[in-house]
Amino acid sequence: MQSPEDRFISILRKEGVDFILALPCDRVKGLLERLSSKGFYIPLTREEEGVGISAGASLAGRRPAMIIQSSGLGNMVNALLSLTMFYNFPLAIFISHRGIYREPIEAQKPMGKALKGLLKAAGVGYTLIDKKNDLYKIERALKRVYKESRVHAFLLSPAVWKGCSSIPESERKRIFTPQRLSYKQKKIKALFTRYQVLEILKDYLKGHVVVSNLGIPSKELYHILHQPTNFYMLGSMGMATPIGLGISLNTEKKVYVIDGDGSLLMNPGALATVALFNPSNLTILAIDNAAYGSTGNQSTHTAVSTDLSLVARGFGIRNIYTVGSKRDILRAMENEQRGTKFIHIIAKPGNATVPNIPLTANQIKDAFTEAVKT
């Protein structure tokens, strides 16, 4: 007799789901172990980054799905509405519905009880899977997710997995090899604004996939180098690098992410996931002007205390360049190495006066997906 986990996985495969992202939950640990062993599983540090990575995977032609627990929904609502639903990306969300069925942890109960109302308020439809025999309900709703480009949640009761086994703790092994840090801090003078940096970079970005941070960075890129392989973010701060990672894992094309200090500080755990997979076709251009440029140039923490190069290195990214001059920026771009590149560009605050992007979210997405196919 097929186990609930194997039946669940067979349903996903039947509907063409080929990109699974998840954070752990004790109630579905057996399922996650099986998914991990089958090689199409992306472990996350935070649910919100999974929304961004899923969007990137969708842009590259994959069918993503996420597995989270009830509390995780609270970490991803904004990104769901301002990215996934705004651009009409498909996403199936399988939620381990904690706080309802024989829940021993009191802190799980408030979100568990509020879950249905939160989904309804967000405009996300859901299907209840209360027992093992309800797994068949997934197929019909899952088919519509990808056919109609919609977001749909599946609320999985812990009763579904009752009696399922997982790998014993005694059989788990861990070997940790610390990095040898040879990084020496040096003072780098900010010479250029973000707009001027983009002008320096434009010949390297031409013809390649570019994911641009939201707000003024996207408007500046549109003005300097508009091309169909640019994905302009219109919302969802902190999602540029996750989107770029999702694309890079599903294409052989070069992928450049134009990110900023404010956005990276909002979702730094995404760098850990980047380091875990370390795709050689991904370059993160961290333009650090120590300011929230799109909201009035208020100072970020990098103005005083935080070094993004050290942050990236601490998360495990090895190819790191901290640059400020045109010569050093170009050298970093031209240096070919195995693994992801993180180019930390020290820049001056300031925004160029450029008009809004005259494109809708769907126009941006459609042009991009068509261009990436070729």
Side-chain angles (χ1 to χ4, degrees), residues 59-128:
L59 283 167
R62 291 293 193 105
R63 290 189 167 192
M66 289 182 64
I67 301 175
I68 65 172
Q69 62 173 280
S70 304
S71 57
L73 181 69
N75 293 333
M76 59 193 285
V77 171
N78 175 62
L80 274 180
L81 271 66
S82 61
L83 177 61
T84 312
M85 297 171 74
F86 184 62
Y87 284 92
N88 292 311
F89 290 125
L91 182 61
I93 308 171
F94 295 95
I95 303 177
S96 180
H97 196 180
R98 301 293 299 274
I100 302 297
Y101 175 81
R102 297 184 180 179
E103 180 58 65
I105 301 175
E106 289 297 318
Q108 290 280 7
K109 294 180 180 179
M111 183 61 98
K113 293 176 181 177
L115 189 58
K116 296 177 185 177
L118 289 173
L119 289 168
K120 184 177 180 180
V124 176
Y126 61 85
T127 299
L128 298 177

Side-chain angles (χ1 to χ4, degrees), residues 129-146:
I129 310 296
D130 291 327
K131 52 186 182 298
K132 296 175 184 179
N133 291 339
D134 288 343
L135 286 170
Y136 76 92
K137 296 180 181 178
I138 293 174
E139 293 188 42
R140 184 176 180 181
L142 191 58
K143 193 183 298 292
R144 294 181 65 188
V145 167
Y146 304 106

Side-chain angles (χ1 to χ4, degrees), residues 200-208 256 330-331 333-334:
I200 293 170
L201 295 171
K202 67 180 179 181
D203 289 339
Y204 292 88
L205 303 178
K206 191 176 297 182
H208 298 298
Y256 293 94
L330 296 181
R331 281 181 176 176
M333 292 294 289
E334 292 170 359

Side-chain angles (χ1 to χ4, degrees), residues 333-350:
M333 292 294 289
E334 292 170 359
N335 196 351
E336 294 292 335
Q337 291 182 309
R338 291 183 63 185
T340 297
K341 283 201 295 188
F342 185 89
I343 304 178
H344 182 198
I345 304 172
I346 307 302
K348 297 191 297 186

Side-chain angles (χ1 to χ4, degrees), residues 153-166:
F154 299 85
L155 276 53
L156 303 164
S157 170
V160 173
W161 319 107
K162 188 177 179 182
C164 297
S165 61
S166 61

